[in-house]
Short mmCIF file of all heavy atoms in Angstrom, two decimals:
data_model
loop_
_atom_site.label_atom_id
_atom_site.label_comp_id
_atom_site.label_asym_id
_atom_site.label_seq_id
_atom_site.Cartn_x
_atom_site.Cartn_y
_atom_site.Cartn_z
N PRO A 22 -21.23 -17.25 -16.96
CA PRO A 22 -22.18 -16.76 -15.96
C PRO A 22 -21.69 -17.04 -14.54
O PRO A 22 -20.90 -17.95 -14.31
CB PRO A 22 -23.46 -17.55 -16.27
CG PRO A 22 -22.99 -18.77 -16.98
CD PRO A 22 -21.74 -18.38 -17.71
N VAL A 23 -22.17 -16.25 -13.62
CA VAL A 23 -21.84 -16.42 -12.22
C VAL A 23 -22.58 -17.64 -11.69
O VAL A 23 -23.79 -17.79 -11.91
CB VAL A 23 -22.28 -15.17 -11.41
CG1 VAL A 23 -22.03 -15.35 -9.93
CG2 VAL A 23 -21.58 -13.95 -11.94
N PRO A 24 -21.89 -18.57 -10.99
CA PRO A 24 -22.58 -19.72 -10.42
C PRO A 24 -23.66 -19.25 -9.44
O PRO A 24 -23.45 -18.28 -8.72
CB PRO A 24 -21.47 -20.49 -9.68
CG PRO A 24 -20.20 -20.02 -10.31
CD PRO A 24 -20.46 -18.61 -10.76
N THR A 25 -24.78 -19.94 -9.41
CA THR A 25 -25.91 -19.51 -8.58
C THR A 25 -25.65 -19.68 -7.09
O THR A 25 -26.34 -19.08 -6.29
CB THR A 25 -27.19 -20.27 -8.96
OG1 THR A 25 -26.93 -21.67 -8.84
CG2 THR A 25 -27.62 -19.92 -10.36
N ASN A 26 -24.66 -20.47 -6.69
CA ASN A 26 -24.41 -20.66 -5.27
C ASN A 26 -23.52 -19.56 -4.69
O ASN A 26 -23.21 -19.58 -3.52
CB ASN A 26 -23.77 -22.03 -5.01
CG ASN A 26 -22.42 -22.19 -5.71
OD1 ASN A 26 -22.13 -21.48 -6.65
ND2 ASN A 26 -21.63 -23.12 -5.25
N ARG A 27 -23.11 -18.60 -5.51
CA ARG A 27 -22.29 -17.49 -5.04
C ARG A 27 -23.12 -16.22 -5.07
O ARG A 27 -23.93 -16.01 -5.96
CB ARG A 27 -21.06 -17.33 -5.93
CG ARG A 27 -20.10 -18.47 -5.78
CD ARG A 27 -18.96 -18.38 -6.74
NE ARG A 27 -18.20 -17.15 -6.58
CZ ARG A 27 -17.28 -16.77 -7.44
NH1 ARG A 27 -17.01 -17.49 -8.50
NH2 ARG A 27 -16.62 -15.66 -7.26
N PRO A 28 -22.90 -15.33 -4.07
CA PRO A 28 -23.66 -14.08 -4.07
C PRO A 28 -23.20 -13.17 -5.21
O PRO A 28 -22.04 -13.17 -5.59
CB PRO A 28 -23.30 -13.46 -2.72
CG PRO A 28 -21.98 -14.06 -2.36
CD PRO A 28 -21.98 -15.44 -2.97
N LEU A 29 -24.13 -12.43 -5.75
CA LEU A 29 -23.81 -11.47 -6.80
C LEU A 29 -23.27 -10.21 -6.15
O LEU A 29 -23.55 -9.91 -5.01
CB LEU A 29 -25.07 -11.13 -7.61
CG LEU A 29 -25.70 -12.29 -8.37
CD1 LEU A 29 -27.00 -11.82 -9.04
CD2 LEU A 29 -24.74 -12.84 -9.39
N ILE A 30 -22.49 -9.45 -6.90
CA ILE A 30 -22.03 -8.18 -6.37
C ILE A 30 -23.23 -7.25 -6.25
O ILE A 30 -24.22 -7.41 -6.96
CB ILE A 30 -20.92 -7.57 -7.24
CG1 ILE A 30 -21.40 -7.29 -8.65
CG2 ILE A 30 -19.68 -8.44 -7.24
CD1 ILE A 30 -20.39 -6.56 -9.52
N GLU A 31 -23.15 -6.31 -5.35
CA GLU A 31 -24.28 -5.41 -5.09
C GLU A 31 -24.29 -4.29 -6.13
O GLU A 31 -23.30 -3.57 -6.28
CB GLU A 31 -24.16 -4.83 -3.69
CG GLU A 31 -24.30 -5.85 -2.58
CD GLU A 31 -25.67 -6.48 -2.55
OE1 GLU A 31 -26.67 -5.79 -2.83
OE2 GLU A 31 -25.74 -7.68 -2.25
N PRO A 32 -25.41 -4.11 -6.84
CA PRO A 32 -25.47 -3.10 -7.90
C PRO A 32 -25.26 -1.67 -7.40
O PRO A 32 -24.72 -0.84 -8.11
CB PRO A 32 -26.86 -3.25 -8.51
CG PRO A 32 -27.52 -4.36 -7.81
CD PRO A 32 -26.63 -4.87 -6.73
N GLY A 33 -25.66 -1.36 -6.17
CA GLY A 33 -25.52 0.00 -5.65
C GLY A 33 -24.24 0.24 -4.88
O GLY A 33 -24.02 1.32 -4.35
N GLU A 34 -23.38 -0.75 -4.82
CA GLU A 34 -22.14 -0.64 -4.06
C GLU A 34 -20.98 -0.29 -5.00
O GLU A 34 -20.89 -0.82 -6.10
CB GLU A 34 -21.86 -1.97 -3.37
CG GLU A 34 -20.98 -1.88 -2.17
CD GLU A 34 -21.14 -3.09 -1.28
OE1 GLU A 34 -21.26 -4.21 -1.80
OE2 GLU A 34 -21.18 -2.90 -0.06
N ARG A 35 -20.12 0.58 -4.56
CA ARG A 35 -18.94 0.95 -5.35
C ARG A 35 -17.81 -0.03 -5.06
O ARG A 35 -17.67 -0.51 -3.95
CB ARG A 35 -18.51 2.37 -5.04
CG ARG A 35 -19.60 3.39 -5.35
CD ARG A 35 -19.12 4.81 -5.18
NE ARG A 35 -18.42 5.30 -6.35
CZ ARG A 35 -19.00 5.71 -7.47
NH1 ARG A 35 -20.30 5.66 -7.58
NH2 ARG A 35 -18.29 6.14 -8.49
N TYR A 36 -17.01 -0.29 -6.07
CA TYR A 36 -15.86 -1.18 -5.93
C TYR A 36 -14.60 -0.45 -6.34
O TYR A 36 -14.63 0.40 -7.23
CB TYR A 36 -16.05 -2.45 -6.78
CG TYR A 36 -17.15 -3.31 -6.24
CD1 TYR A 36 -18.47 -3.08 -6.59
CD2 TYR A 36 -16.87 -4.32 -5.33
CE1 TYR A 36 -19.50 -3.85 -6.07
CE2 TYR A 36 -17.90 -5.10 -4.80
CZ TYR A 36 -19.20 -4.85 -5.17
OH TYR A 36 -20.22 -5.61 -4.64
N GLY A 37 -13.49 -0.77 -5.68
CA GLY A 37 -12.23 -0.14 -6.00
C GLY A 37 -11.08 -1.06 -5.62
O GLY A 37 -11.26 -2.08 -4.96
N ARG A 38 -9.90 -0.67 -6.04
CA ARG A 38 -8.71 -1.44 -5.69
C ARG A 38 -8.46 -1.36 -4.19
O ARG A 38 -8.69 -0.31 -3.58
CB ARG A 38 -7.49 -0.85 -6.41
CG ARG A 38 -7.52 -0.95 -7.90
CD ARG A 38 -6.31 -0.25 -8.48
NE ARG A 38 -6.32 -0.30 -9.93
CZ ARG A 38 -5.52 0.43 -10.69
NH1 ARG A 38 -4.66 1.26 -10.12
NH2 ARG A 38 -5.58 0.33 -11.99
N ASN A 39 -8.00 -2.44 -3.62
CA ASN A 39 -7.58 -2.43 -2.23
C ASN A 39 -6.29 -1.61 -2.17
O ASN A 39 -5.30 -1.98 -2.80
CB ASN A 39 -7.34 -3.86 -1.74
CG ASN A 39 -6.87 -3.93 -0.32
OD1 ASN A 39 -6.44 -2.95 0.27
ND2 ASN A 39 -6.94 -5.12 0.25
N PRO A 40 -6.27 -0.50 -1.42
CA PRO A 40 -5.08 0.35 -1.41
C PRO A 40 -3.85 -0.32 -0.76
O PRO A 40 -2.73 0.14 -0.95
CB PRO A 40 -5.51 1.58 -0.61
CG PRO A 40 -6.71 1.16 0.16
CD PRO A 40 -7.35 0.04 -0.62
N ALA A 41 -4.05 -1.41 -0.05
CA ALA A 41 -2.94 -2.12 0.58
C ALA A 41 -2.24 -3.08 -0.37
O ALA A 41 -1.20 -3.65 -0.03
CB ALA A 41 -3.45 -2.88 1.81
N VAL A 42 -2.80 -3.28 -1.57
CA VAL A 42 -2.21 -4.18 -2.55
C VAL A 42 -1.01 -3.51 -3.22
O VAL A 42 -1.11 -2.39 -3.70
CB VAL A 42 -3.25 -4.60 -3.61
CG1 VAL A 42 -2.60 -5.36 -4.76
CG2 VAL A 42 -4.35 -5.42 -2.98
N LEU A 43 0.11 -4.22 -3.23
CA LEU A 43 1.28 -3.76 -3.98
C LEU A 43 1.13 -4.29 -5.39
O LEU A 43 0.74 -5.44 -5.58
CB LEU A 43 2.56 -4.31 -3.35
CG LEU A 43 2.82 -3.91 -1.90
CD1 LEU A 43 4.05 -4.63 -1.39
CD2 LEU A 43 2.96 -2.41 -1.77
N TRP A 44 1.43 -3.48 -6.39
CA TRP A 44 1.27 -3.95 -7.77
C TRP A 44 2.19 -3.20 -8.71
O TRP A 44 2.64 -2.10 -8.43
CB TRP A 44 -0.18 -3.84 -8.21
CG TRP A 44 -0.68 -2.45 -8.41
CD1 TRP A 44 -1.10 -1.57 -7.46
CD2 TRP A 44 -0.81 -1.76 -9.66
NE1 TRP A 44 -1.49 -0.39 -8.03
CE2 TRP A 44 -1.32 -0.48 -9.38
CE3 TRP A 44 -0.54 -2.11 -10.97
CZ2 TRP A 44 -1.58 0.45 -10.36
CZ3 TRP A 44 -0.79 -1.17 -11.96
CH2 TRP A 44 -1.31 0.09 -11.64
N ARG A 45 2.44 -3.84 -9.83
CA ARG A 45 3.23 -3.27 -10.90
C ARG A 45 2.62 -3.68 -12.23
O ARG A 45 2.15 -4.80 -12.39
CB ARG A 45 4.68 -3.78 -10.88
CG ARG A 45 5.49 -3.28 -9.73
CD ARG A 45 5.81 -1.79 -9.92
NE ARG A 45 6.52 -1.25 -8.78
CZ ARG A 45 5.98 -0.52 -7.81
NH1 ARG A 45 4.71 -0.26 -7.81
NH2 ARG A 45 6.72 -0.04 -6.83
N SER A 46 2.68 -2.77 -13.17
CA SER A 46 2.24 -3.08 -14.52
C SER A 46 3.42 -3.70 -15.26
O SER A 46 4.53 -3.18 -15.17
CB SER A 46 1.79 -1.79 -15.22
OG SER A 46 1.31 -2.07 -16.49
N THR A 47 3.18 -4.81 -15.96
CA THR A 47 4.23 -5.46 -16.72
C THR A 47 3.74 -5.69 -18.15
O THR A 47 2.54 -5.54 -18.43
CB THR A 47 4.64 -6.82 -16.11
OG1 THR A 47 3.60 -7.77 -16.34
CG2 THR A 47 4.91 -6.70 -14.61
N SER A 48 4.63 -6.10 -19.01
CA SER A 48 4.23 -6.37 -20.39
C SER A 48 3.31 -7.58 -20.50
O SER A 48 2.64 -7.77 -21.51
CB SER A 48 5.48 -6.59 -21.25
OG SER A 48 6.20 -7.71 -20.79
N ARG A 49 3.25 -8.40 -19.43
CA ARG A 49 2.38 -9.58 -19.43
C ARG A 49 1.13 -9.38 -18.58
O ARG A 49 0.41 -10.32 -18.31
CB ARG A 49 3.16 -10.79 -18.94
CG ARG A 49 4.31 -11.13 -19.90
CD ARG A 49 5.08 -12.30 -19.45
NE ARG A 49 4.23 -13.49 -19.46
CZ ARG A 49 4.56 -14.62 -18.86
NH1 ARG A 49 5.69 -14.73 -18.21
NH2 ARG A 49 3.74 -15.65 -18.92
N GLY A 50 0.87 -8.16 -18.15
CA GLY A 50 -0.28 -7.86 -17.33
C GLY A 50 0.14 -7.42 -15.94
O GLY A 50 1.29 -7.58 -15.55
N PRO A 51 -0.80 -6.84 -15.18
CA PRO A 51 -0.46 -6.38 -13.84
C PRO A 51 -0.11 -7.56 -12.92
O PRO A 51 -0.72 -8.61 -12.98
CB PRO A 51 -1.71 -5.66 -13.36
CG PRO A 51 -2.79 -6.02 -14.30
CD PRO A 51 -2.18 -6.58 -15.53
N VAL A 52 0.88 -7.33 -12.05
CA VAL A 52 1.26 -8.31 -11.04
C VAL A 52 0.92 -7.69 -9.69
O VAL A 52 1.37 -6.58 -9.39
CB VAL A 52 2.75 -8.66 -11.13
CG1 VAL A 52 3.15 -9.60 -10.00
CG2 VAL A 52 3.07 -9.28 -12.49
N LEU A 53 0.13 -8.42 -8.89
CA LEU A 53 -0.37 -7.89 -7.63
C LEU A 53 0.07 -8.77 -6.47
O LEU A 53 0.19 -9.99 -6.61
CB LEU A 53 -1.90 -7.86 -7.65
CG LEU A 53 -2.59 -6.85 -8.54
CD1 LEU A 53 -2.36 -7.09 -10.00
CD2 LEU A 53 -4.07 -6.83 -8.25
N PHE A 54 0.25 -8.13 -5.32
CA PHE A 54 0.60 -8.84 -4.10
C PHE A 54 -0.35 -8.37 -3.01
O PHE A 54 -0.25 -7.25 -2.52
CB PHE A 54 2.05 -8.55 -3.71
CG PHE A 54 2.68 -9.62 -2.89
CD1 PHE A 54 3.59 -10.48 -3.46
CD2 PHE A 54 2.36 -9.77 -1.55
CE1 PHE A 54 4.19 -11.47 -2.71
CE2 PHE A 54 2.94 -10.76 -0.79
CZ PHE A 54 3.86 -11.61 -1.35
N ALA A 55 -1.32 -9.21 -2.66
CA ALA A 55 -2.31 -8.88 -1.63
C ALA A 55 -1.64 -8.84 -0.26
O ALA A 55 -0.61 -9.49 -0.04
CB ALA A 55 -3.45 -9.90 -1.65
N PRO A 56 -2.21 -8.10 0.69
CA PRO A 56 -1.59 -7.92 2.00
C PRO A 56 -1.19 -9.22 2.72
O PRO A 56 -0.11 -9.29 3.27
CB PRO A 56 -2.65 -7.17 2.80
CG PRO A 56 -3.51 -6.52 1.79
CD PRO A 56 -3.47 -7.38 0.57
N ASP A 57 -2.02 -10.22 2.70
CA ASP A 57 -1.73 -11.46 3.43
C ASP A 57 -1.35 -12.62 2.51
O ASP A 57 -1.31 -13.76 2.95
CB ASP A 57 -2.93 -11.86 4.29
CG ASP A 57 -3.20 -10.84 5.39
OD1 ASP A 57 -2.23 -10.25 5.90
OD2 ASP A 57 -4.38 -10.62 5.72
N ALA A 58 -1.07 -12.33 1.26
CA ALA A 58 -0.76 -13.39 0.29
C ALA A 58 0.68 -13.85 0.44
O ALA A 58 1.56 -13.08 0.83
CB ALA A 58 -0.99 -12.88 -1.12
N LEU A 59 0.89 -15.11 0.14
CA LEU A 59 2.24 -15.66 0.15
C LEU A 59 2.93 -15.47 -1.20
O LEU A 59 4.15 -15.41 -1.28
CB LEU A 59 2.20 -17.14 0.51
CG LEU A 59 1.64 -17.47 1.90
CD1 LEU A 59 1.56 -18.98 2.08
CD2 LEU A 59 2.48 -16.82 2.97
N ASP A 60 2.13 -15.42 -2.27
CA ASP A 60 2.67 -15.31 -3.62
C ASP A 60 1.94 -14.21 -4.39
O ASP A 60 0.76 -13.97 -4.16
CB ASP A 60 2.50 -16.64 -4.37
CG ASP A 60 3.32 -17.76 -3.74
OD1 ASP A 60 4.52 -17.54 -3.54
OD2 ASP A 60 2.74 -18.82 -3.46
N PRO A 61 2.61 -13.59 -5.33
CA PRO A 61 1.94 -12.60 -6.19
C PRO A 61 1.01 -13.27 -7.19
O PRO A 61 1.11 -14.47 -7.43
CB PRO A 61 3.11 -11.91 -6.90
CG PRO A 61 4.20 -12.92 -6.89
CD PRO A 61 4.02 -13.75 -5.66
#
Side-chain angles (χ1 to χ4, degrees):
V23 176
T25 56
N26 61 340
R27 291 175 59 191
L29 297 175
I30 61 174
E31 295 295 324
E34 203 160 41
R35 300 186 83 77
Y36 291 85
R38 295 176 181 167
N39 179 345
V42 171
L43 300 175
W44 70 280
R45 290 289 176 259
S46 183
T47 72
S48 61
R49 296 180 64 194
V52 176
L53 290 65
F54 205 105
D57 295 326
L59 298 176
D60 295 308

